[in-house]
């Protein structure tokens, strides 16, 4: 297929684009490089540095079979401080993509949605039918796009898949290029723990030790970025309609369990400082991944140890 990947210079987008190329698809990456890196665009992809609102120019130039849309602002904390930027970029920007797709007859989209659409839910594991009550502007913008996709799919015959990612981790290491997390502001647990273990002199803050969980720290469902990317390729083959699909391992690990895995893999202690809860962090988020199996034939294959191992190798490759 001829596929446009928005955000293909970012962490997840670059892994998706690399896997598409490896599977024989023809890939065009669109990225404005506001947070992505030009050297993360995989070899073999055509690269257009532009805003998603200009995607019409790309779709007018070459026939396209599908758009995989990952370009977004994605920091929960920042979204609370700057909601306007999130609504404009994530919602208005995505509507521009959907309208350009209609204008140029592009029949399918795979959208990077999020577990943040659910908010603080009591039902665990979380199913796609669980109530969506986002607790941040970031989650609200992802839910707004999901709602728009339902209407667009229904009325305009689009094949649309919203992939609701849980906690993505790990890296893709190849002979030619390495693809991993390189965020200007790093907020995620595994890269922060590796940074602290790696002797950077940074002490990692452990946010909250009084949650109603077995060891008092938050429980999350971690998924390897390589497994996650595979689901995007499978999502290119669904029937028309809007399909919402959770992507997670289906099991949870506490922050302390992740820190133990980091110590195991690196052989180094992780300097931590216990800190108060971080605003907006729910105690437990674990995915039901039954629908991913039923609809896409997708199953996770890489465990937490592999995620930490690959993230550590990527971290070391950047030194
Ligand atoms: N966390 C932490 N210290 C950090 C980063 C994260 O204690 O430096 C905790 C965070 O409070 C949450 C879990 O690790 O309980 C996962 O956070 P992350 O930001 O990686 O993902 P989120 O679940 O917020 O999307």
């Amino acid at each position: 297929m001829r596929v446009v990947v928005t955000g293909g210079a970012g962490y997840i987008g670059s892994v998706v684009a690399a896997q598409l190329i490896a599977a024989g698809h023809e890939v065009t990456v669109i990225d404005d490089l506001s947070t992505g890196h030009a050297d993360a665009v995989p070899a073999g992809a055509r690269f257009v540095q532009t805003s998603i609102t200009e995607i019409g120019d790309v779709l007018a130039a070459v026939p396209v079979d599908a758009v995989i849309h990952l370009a977004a602002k994605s920091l929960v904390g920042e979204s609370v401080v700057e909601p306007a930027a999130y609504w404009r970029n994530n919602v208005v920007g995505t509507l521009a993509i959907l309208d350009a797709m209609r204008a140029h007859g592009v029949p399918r989209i795979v959208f990077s949605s999020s577990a943040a659409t659910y908010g603080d839910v009591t039902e665990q594991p979380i199913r796609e039918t669980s109530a969506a009550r986002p607790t941040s502007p970031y989650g609200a913008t992802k839910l707004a796009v999901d709602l728009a996709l339902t209407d667009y799919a229904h009325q305009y015959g689009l094949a649309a898949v919203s992939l609701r990612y849980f906690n993505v981790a790990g890296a893709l290491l190849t002979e030619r290029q390495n693809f991993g997390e390189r965020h200007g502001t790093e907020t995620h647990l595994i890269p922060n723990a590796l940074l602290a273990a790696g002797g950077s002199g940074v002490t990692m803050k452990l946010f909250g030790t009084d949650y109603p969980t077995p060891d008092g720290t938050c429980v999350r469902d971690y998924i390897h970025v390589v497994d996650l990317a595979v689901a995007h390729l499978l999502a290119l083959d669904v029937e028309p309609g809007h399909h919402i699909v959770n992507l997670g391992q289906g099991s949870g690990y506490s922050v302390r369990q992740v820190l133990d895995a980091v110590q195991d893999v690196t052989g180094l202690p992780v300097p931590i400082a216990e800190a108060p809860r971080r605003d907006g962090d729910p105690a437990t988020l674990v995915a039901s991944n039954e629908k991913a199996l039923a609809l896409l034939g997708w199953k996770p294959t890489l465990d937490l140890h592999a995620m930490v191992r690959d993230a550590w190798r990527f971290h070391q490759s950047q030194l």
Side-chain angles (χ1 to χ4, degrees):
M1 277 191 201
R2 292 155 300 192
V3 185
V4 170
V5 180
T6 75
Y11 166 47
I12 300 170
S14 61
V15 178
V16 170
Q19 287 195 3
L20 285 165
I21 291 166
H25 296 284
E26 208 175 285
V27 176
T28 300
V29 164
I30 293 184
D31 200 299
D32 67 2
L33 298 185
S34 54
T35 55
H37 305 270
D39 64 359
V41 176
R46 187 166 79 95
F47 176 46
V48 183
Q49 184 179 346
T50 191
S51 157
I52 49 174
T53 56
E54 308 304 318
I55 194 173
D57 294 343
V58 174
L59 301 184
V62 281
V64 168
D65 302 303
V67 172
I68 301 186
H69 174 37
L70 300 102
K73 291 177 85 64
S74 61
L75 299 176
V76 171
E78 184 184 69
S79 78
V80 176
V81 182
E82 290 178 56
Y86 277 70
W87 281 95
R88 194 180 329 107
N89 189 86
N90 293 4
V91 178
V92 179
T94 303
L95 294 179
I97 292 177
L98 292 176
D99 290 337
M101 287 173 62
R102 282 182 65 209
H104 298 286
V106 180
R108 48 180 73 241
I109 182 166
V110 178
F111 172 61
S112 152
S113 187
S114 170
T117 52
Y118 296 110
D120 216 344
V121 263
T122 44
E123 180 196 352
Q124 300 287 341
I126 300 171
R127 293 176 183 281
E128 292 80 355
T129 47
S130 298
R133 290 191 213 93
T135 50
S136 69
Y138 168 69
T141 63
K142 291 287 174 180
L143 179 60
V145 171
D146 285 349
L147 294 170
L149 285 173
T150 302
D151 291 343
Y152 274 66
H154 176 74
Q155 190 60 21
Y156 306 126
L158 201 61
V161 183
S162 292
L163 298 175
R164 290 189 169 164
Y165 309 161
F166 280 66
N167 288 58
V168 188
L172 171 63
L173 305 150
T174 70
E175 266 173 29
R176 188 162 184 174
Q177 270 172 295
N178 291 332
F179 307 93
E181 279 188 90
R182 281 192 275 163
H183 297 128
T185 314
E186 189 50 79
T187 60
H188 292 131
L189 175 61
I190 292 175
N192 277 350
L194 292 173
L195 203 63
S200 59
V202 180
T203 299
M204 200 205 82
K205 283 190 184 156
L206 195 176
F207 298 123
T209 52
D210 60 347
Y211 284 98
T213 57
D215 68 16
T217 65
C218 287
V219 171
R220 293 288 180 273
D221 185 330
Y222 295 87
I223 169 170
H224 198 294
V225 68
V226 166
D227 278 334
L228 185 86
V230 168
H232 293 70
L233 274 71
L234 295 169
L236 290 173
D237 293 325
V238 298
E239 298 294 319
H242 182 211
H243 312 271
I244 296 178
V245 181
N246 290 341
L247 291 178
Q249 293 263 341
S251 53
Y253 292 91
S254 73
V255 175
R256 287 202 197 279
Q257 286 176 311
V258 172
L259 294 175
D260 287 346
V262 169
Q263 297 207 7
D264 271 1
V265 166
T266 62
L268 298 164
V270 186
I272 57 160
E274 292 186 6
R277 294 180 178 195
R278 191 171 68 174
D279 267 356
D281 275 348
T284 302
L285 290 173
V286 176
S288 158
N289 58 18
E290 284 170 21
K291 189 170 174 188
L293 178 62
L295 184 78
L296 305 176
W298 178 90
K299 263 190 192 173
T301 62
L302 296 159
D303 62 9
L304 181 67
H305 183 88
M307 293 177 221
V308 174
R309 177 198 66 204
D310 293 343
W312 177 234
R313 286 183 186 154
F314 178 75
H315 174 83
Q316 289 180 307
S317 76
Q318 298 298 298
L319 298 177

